[in-house]
Amino acid sequence: MLSAASALSLALAITASSAAAPAPKPGHPSQPDRPLSQILRNLGEDIKALPSADTAIILGTGAGIAIVVHPIDDNLSTWAGDRGPSSYTKLGRTIGDGWTQGGAALATYAIGLAAHHQPTAHLGSDLIRGQFLNAIVTRATKVIAHRARPGGSEDSFPSGHSSASFLTASVLDGHFGMKVGAPAYAVAGFVAWTRVRDNAHWVTDTIMGAAIGTIIGRTVTATERTRRWTVVPSASHDAVGIYVLRH
């Protein structure tokens, strides 16, 4: 696990160090979103935007935490196994499931279209493109890492429930700020914990899943984050002030 995480972190960090920060997507969000008919085009744009300093920092932080926490993987798995099934973890399995997350993204987009409410449609569009890219990155990493789960089955690293949940939280944070992002991250953290409590994943799987989901969510909402704050110089009779306005 450590070698796979380190290799993935190093590869993206090197790429990010040689790439400029991604430019905001043109026409976004004033132009109509077409996340389904333009899914391959959007995928290409988002993959190109992934290498960035932001990606390197989050991935490096996640990998660093995973390396530090790795020694307790076995202890937590033993602890969870000794306590047997838990009643509350079913909620986490349901919330973090790919069908639930993808269905919520499609429903948000459909509601926005039906109500002719462009901000809602745009949110759904970002969720769709984020979940699509997240599924590809998570699956590819699982194949490369080939780590066994605590129970012995395959595809443990990273946790797909964690990456999908943190992707949604990151997109919500990008659109609405931490007033919505904070509770969304808390829900995602709950989902990640239930995967450990169910003994379905090592805790390091959930940490890296959280990092991947957060990175992709921040990538697809890059324009939202740049639109949220504007630095405006303002002259007065005795000084020049700088104000930060929120949109």
Side-chain angles (χ1 to χ4, degrees):
M1 190 289 287
L2 293 180
S3 60
S6 300
L8 181 60
S9 177
L10 180 61
L12 281 180
I14 292 174
T15 305
S17 66
S18 62
K25 293 182 276 291
H28 195 75
S30 58
Q31 293 182 357
D33 291 287
R34 296 183 177 87
L36 301 179
S37 63
Q38 297 182 353
I39 193 165
L40 294 180
R41 173 185 167 185
N42 290 339
L43 177 64
E45 291 179 357
D46 293 334
I47 289 175
K48 290 179 182 178
L50 268 178
S52 68
D54 198 38
T55 292
I57 290 170
I58 297 173
L59 190 62
T61 300
I65 295 173
I67 290 171
V68 171
V69 173
H70 179 58
I72 70 170
D73 262 343
D74 288 332
N75 293 337
L76 272 177
S77 176
T78 300
W79 174 86
D82 288 344
R83 276 151 183 78
S86 175
S87 59
Y88 70 83
T89 57
K90 182 178 180 180
L91 179 61
R93 289 197 303 272
T94 302
I95 294 173
D97 184 78
W99 291 105
T100 301
Q101 292 288 325
L106 287 168
T108 302
Y109 179 64
I111 290 170
L113 289 183
H116 302 288
H117 191 254
Q118 199 274 336
T120 300
H122 177 50
L123 171 62
S125 175
D126 280 351
L127 287 169
I128 291 170
R129 65 195 297 171
Q131 291 294 349
F132 186 57
L133 178 57
N134 180 69
I136 292 174
V137 172
T138 300
R139 172 50 54 184
T141 307
K142 283 178 179 289
V143 171
I144 294 171
H146 197 61
R147 188 188 195 192
R149 295 175 186 263
S153 59
E154 298 180 349
D155 296 338
S156 185
F157 179 87
S159 164
H161 281 64
S162 300
S163 65
S165 299
F166 273 88
L167 174 279
T168 296
S170 184
V171 170
L172 291 173
D173 174 29
H175 278 260
F176 304 110
M178 287 304 289
K179 65 181 182 294
V180 175
Y185 281 121
V187 172
F190 168 75
V191 170
W193 167 247
T194 61
R195 303 307 287 157
V196 177
R197 180 62 182 84
D198 269 345
N199 228 3
H201 281 286
W202 310 99
V203 67
T204 43
D205 298 339
T206 65
I207 291 171
M208 291 308 297
I212 290 171
T214 301
I215 287 168
I216 295 174
R218 291 181 66 85
T219 297
V220 300
T221 59
T223 302
E224 295 300 319
R225 296 173 191 278
T226 57
R227 288 177 62 248
R228 189 176 301 138
W229 302 99
T230 303
V231 178
V232 181
S234 177
S236 65
H237 68 281
D238 57 349
V240 175
I242 296 179
Y243 295 89
V244 181
L245 304 179
R246 188 179 181 114
H247 292 269

